[in-house]
Amino acid sequence: MFLSSAINQYRIRKIESIGKMTQMTQEEIVANTKTVLQGLEALRVEHVSLMAGLPESRHDTEKSDIVQKNIDSIELGLGEAQVMLALVSHLQNVEAEKQKLRTQVRRLCQENAWLRDELANTQQKLQASEQMVAQLEEEKKHLEFNNSIRKYDENQEQDDGADKPRADPVVELFPEDEQEERHNMSPTPPSQFANQANAGYEIPARLRTLHNLVIQYASQGRYEVAVPLCKQALEDLEKTSGHDHPDVATMLNILALVYRDQNKYKEAANLLNDALTIREKTLGENHPAVAATLNNLAVLYGKRGKYKDAEPLCKRALEIREKVLGTDHPDVAKQLNNLALLCQNQGKYEEVELYYQRALEIYESKLGPDDPNVAKTKNNLASCFLKQGKYKEAEVLYKQVLTRAHEREFGTIDGDNKPIWQVAEEREENKLKNRENTPYGEYGGWHKAAKVDSPTVTTTLKNLGALYRRQGKYEAAETLEDCALRSKKEALDLVKQVKVAQILGSDDKRRSKPTKGTTGSESVESVSMEREDSVKRLSRP
């Protein structure tokens, strides 16, 4: 009884101590645990000695069982105390490892900050070196260009009195996909700037070098040099000839084109308005140069979303071209395309159809059914049909474009020589019968027909594919879309090869003869406006 009472008292003290442990520190818990461990060990020794001293009678057997149970409880308590001590030791090791890792992190952060400082210093040095190299290259190119045009200027001085009016073509507002991408990524090529300034008169010889430099720098995208040079030319012209002189309008147009390439449409429009006033005053209201300036101004308004302001300018340009060139001239058709696109952005679809159909008739009668403008106009007219929900009419036009392209590439269509849209529809019809459809490439490699000079065909493939997808013809749509991707990849590869060849050949030409600059004459080039692609409009339902 005495032992049972002692054990019970010990258990009570143990429970009380455990309750107090929740408010104790780790060091106090460890010390108390060790004390308890020692007490339990002493009790276990006493119980073992008592157990050994008990006789083996029946009455003593009950006592032995009680003592044995107490010994088991004491050993359990010893085990728990040892587990607590081991856990404390483990926690201490974990905390030490955490402190070690924190120290390493602080050291790595210090090293990282040092490396960042070193990198910043190195980048500053590299930037300074690149600026120096760029400056030296610019000076070198400037000297080379001056040397290359010196001979050209000497030859031009012999023809100062000659006036050589040139045609004033209108560039359509619906560029091909690749052309639009190149326009967004790179400045205007030199050949285009050379054709952007013809109104029937020559730049004076004293300004020709400066004029050529403006074109050269602008074509390279070096606007920080081209703009001051062009402004200097304008200042010299206004001092010598006055503000209301055709040459001033010429330079205003060139500066407007430079601003256009920088997406400064508002500044470009202001310059074109000034040039228009000068040309109307000096050349007359029905001069082709006035029509070209009106068209350029309309396009810039269109780029800024001012379609209502652009439409009357485009209509007036159309009237002038019809008077000067006739109602069935290809340039009139291009102007009709521009006007149709402006009306389409305003939702005037009836007028849009009339303009596109009239332009299509002019192209087919004057340039023939294989002219690229025919296919592009059909694509634009199909886009107008799609916006009105006239899917059948649009589908017919797309198929006409693809059929004509196939005939040019592979000859007359028959049972063994089918255009890609027929192949796509057959694959759609047979998709349930034959899960493993034959690749379209085995039908004659039709995708080769969409070469680099026919991006309109690639656009037609994508548009018709989107239309098929809208109608639930997914197998046919995937066939056309895959064909478009393949043909576009081949076209881009060919473009890269041509560019490499041009770059390699340009050095030889530069050594053999001086670079030919522009004549200083000014033609007006229409700026391409964004065209809404019907592919974006037709999504999978």
Side-chain angles (χ1 to χ4, degrees), residues 107-160:
R107 180 173 58 81
L108 291 174
C109 290
Q110 293 174 353
E111 292 179 357
N112 187 33
W114 178 78
L115 290 174
R116 286 180 181 274
D117 293 338
E118 288 293 323
L119 179 60
N121 294 333
T122 304
Q123 287 178 339
Q124 290 178 355
K125 294 178 181 179
L126 177 61
Q127 186 177 4
S129 301
E130 289 177 347
Q131 290 177 353
M132 184 176 296
V133 171
Q135 183 177 359
L136 293 174
E137 288 181 351
E138 183 176 339
E139 293 176 358
K140 179 183 176 182
K141 290 179 180 178
H142 186 88
L143 293 174
E144 289 178 350
F145 183 77
N146 284 336
N147 291 332
S148 66
I149 65 174
R150 187 174 299 166
K151 183 177 180 180
Y152 167 76
D153 287 338
E154 292 175 357
N155 294 334
Q156 287 296 318
E157 288 176 358
Q158 300 175 2
D159 302 324
D160 284 341

Side-chain angles (χ1 to χ4, degrees), residues 286 291 314-329 331-333 335-336 339 355 358 362:
N286 294 326
C314 201
K315 286 183 177 180
R316 185 182 166 197
L318 177 63
E319 293 175 358
I320 295 174
R321 294 187 189 281
E322 288 177 334
K323 289 181 182 178
V324 177
L325 304 175
T327 57
D328 58 349
H329 194 278
D331 286 350
V332 173
Q335 192 70 57
L336 286 167
L339 182 56
Y355 292 141
R358 183 183 167 195
I362 295 174

Side-chain angles (χ1 to χ4, degrees), residues 211-282:
H211 168 260
N212 292 337
L213 283 173
V214 170
I215 293 176
Q216 181 73 11
Y217 287 130
S219 65
Q220 297 174 358
R222 300 163 67 185
Y223 306 115
E224 71 282 357
V225 181
V227 172
L229 287 175
C230 197
K231 289 182 177 180
Q232 182 63 44
L234 277 171
E235 185 179 349
D236 292 344
L237 276 172
E238 290 179 345
K239 286 181 180 178
T240 56
S241 304
H243 181 72
D244 296 332
H245 192 276
D247 290 343
V248 175
T250 298
M251 295 307 297
L252 285 171
N253 184 74
I254 294 173
L255 182 56
L257 293 171
V258 175
Y259 280 146
R260 187 265 338 253
D261 273 7
Q262 297 177 276
N263 296 327
K264 298 180 178 180
Y265 299 130
K266 185 176 181 180
E267 294 85 345
N270 292 335
L271 293 174
L272 286 176
N273 271 316
D274 200 2
L276 178 62
T277 302
I278 296 174
R279 284 178 169 173
E280 286 178 333
K281 185 183 298 185
T282 57

